[in-house]
Amino acid sequence: MSTFGEISEPSSRATWEDWDDLAGDGQLPELQWETPLELPEKVDNFVLIESRDDSILSEEKKNILEINCIKKANLRLYKTQTGANKYICIIKDCDMMLSSDVVKLLKDIITRSKVIVTIVVKSICEYQTEQPTLQSCIIRKVTTTNKLNLMKIDYPKLEQPNIISGVSAGVFNLREHLGLSATSLVFYMESSTEYQIEDMQKLLQKIDISQARQIKQSSILNSNLYM
């Protein structure tokens, strides 16, 4: 019998998935808030930032107050000191296998928030495109079907095959499932430890986390190291 046009996989490959290697011994830590999480009935803004380090907000931390944490997920929850119910969550290099559990613990703030923005900071070498670029920072966005209450953030749409993963993907999918609005951004950057990106600061200013200041950018693309 002809099998033209069909793809046949060995039985061993058919029962194996990409994330199987990440499971390890299958023993994931049990996650919980350091203290019981207390939230107002309505939250104005909630911003979640996933990055390999938290230095991207080193200058802004004087404007926010830490109120809780999930230590085993490297997650810290802050509240802005502006009087409004605005929260920011910073997740530093969290194990991908813990994403679902983190989203469950964030469910109350996810469902109560009027405006949600998630930000994933990745290395620029992870950005997949057919068009070569010399930019030191590329920003792409994805929005939910419900665009009511979406923050006015004007960036190009994230192109395939690039994806949003981790806790940000879980937050976005939950909002979509509930028919609520959300914006997810991916910041492809050279380095988040050497300098603050102007577009990131402008976004944080909108939610009263960052204050306007002069930004000095230094990029290896602007140097003559390899000339």
Side-chain angles (χ1 to χ4, degrees):
M1 184 178 69
S2 173
T3 58
F4 178 76
E6 298 180 358
I7 298 177
S8 300
E9 293 183 343
S11 58
S12 60
R13 178 64 182 87
T15 57
W16 178 85
E17 297 294 348
D18 292 339
W19 52 81
D20 287 346
D21 287 343
L22 300 177
D25 57 6
Q27 299 296 320
L28 296 176
E30 182 178 349
L31 303 183
Q32 61 181 3
W33 290 105
E34 184 73 7
T35 60
L37 183 61
E38 298 181 0
L39 296 170
E41 192 64 29
K42 294 183 179 181
V43 176
D44 297 320
N45 291 358
F46 176 58
V47 175
L48 181 140
I49 299 179
E50 286 186 271
S51 179
R52 290 187 176 89
D53 59 79
D54 57 2
S55 61
I56 199 162
L57 278 179
S58 58
E59 293 296 325
E60 278 69 36
K61 287 187 177 179
K62 60 185 178 182
N63 303 317
I64 56 180
L65 177 68
E66 182 176 338
I67 61 171
N68 217 324
C69 68
I70 304 175
K71 291 184 177 179
K72 293 181 180 179
N74 295 323
L75 180 153
R76 296 188 179 278
L77 182 65
Y78 300 86
K79 187 178 186 297
T80 61
Q81 302 191 66
T82 60
N85 292 324
K86 299 180 179 182
Y87 295 82
I88 183 166
C89 177
I90 302 176
I91 304 176
K92 176 184 175 182
D93 198 21
C94 179
D95 187 339
M96 185 75 70
M97 298 298 294
L98 299 176
S99 297
S100 295
D101 292 337
V102 172
V103 172
K104 289 178 182 178
L105 291 174
L106 290 171
K107 185 176 180 179
D108 284 346
I109 195 168
I110 294 171
T111 55
R112 296 184 191 189
S113 297
K114 181 179 179 181
V115 175
I116 280 188
V117 178
T118 72
I119 301 172
V120 182
V121 181
K122 296 185 176 184
S123 170
I124 198 167
C125 65
E126 296 181 48
Y127 179 60
Q128 301 184 56
T129 178
E130 295 180 353
Q131 303 296 327
T133 178
L134 294 178
Q135 294 176 266
S136 59
C137 179
I138 296 173
I139 306 171
R140 295 293 183 263
K141 77 171 181 179
V142 180
T143 57
T144 51
T145 304
N146 181 354
K147 302 188 184 310
L148 184 65
N149 297 326
L150 281 178
M151 189 176 291
K152 294 181 179 180
I153 304 172
D154 187 21
Y155 294 118
K157 183 179 179 180
L158 183 67
E159 318 97 316
Q160 295 181 345
N162 299 292
I163 62 172
I164 294 176
S165 58
V167 178
S168 293
V171 172
F172 184 91
N173 286 334
L174 179 56
R175 294 284 288 190
E176 177 71 23
H177 175 72
L178 296 174
L180 302 173
S181 61
T183 300
S184 287
L185 302 176
V186 185
F187 279 65
Y188 295 98
M189 300 165 55
E190 281 185 7
S191 173
S192 61
T193 59
E194 295 181 0
Y195 56 87
Q196 294 284 339
I197 297 300
E198 184 176 3
D199 290 292
M200 173 73 81
Q201 190 199 21
K202 288 179 179 179
L203 175 61
L204 298 178
Q205 287 174 19
K206 288 186 177 182
I207 56 172
D208 297 330
I209 292 176
S210 177
Q211 296 181 356
R213 65 180 185 277
Q214 186 68 30
I215 297 184
K216 182 179 180 181
Q217 296 189 12
S218 61
S219 168
I220 192 172
L221 296 179
N222 296 328
S223 71
N224 61 357
L225 181 61
Y226 297 103
M227 292 181 64

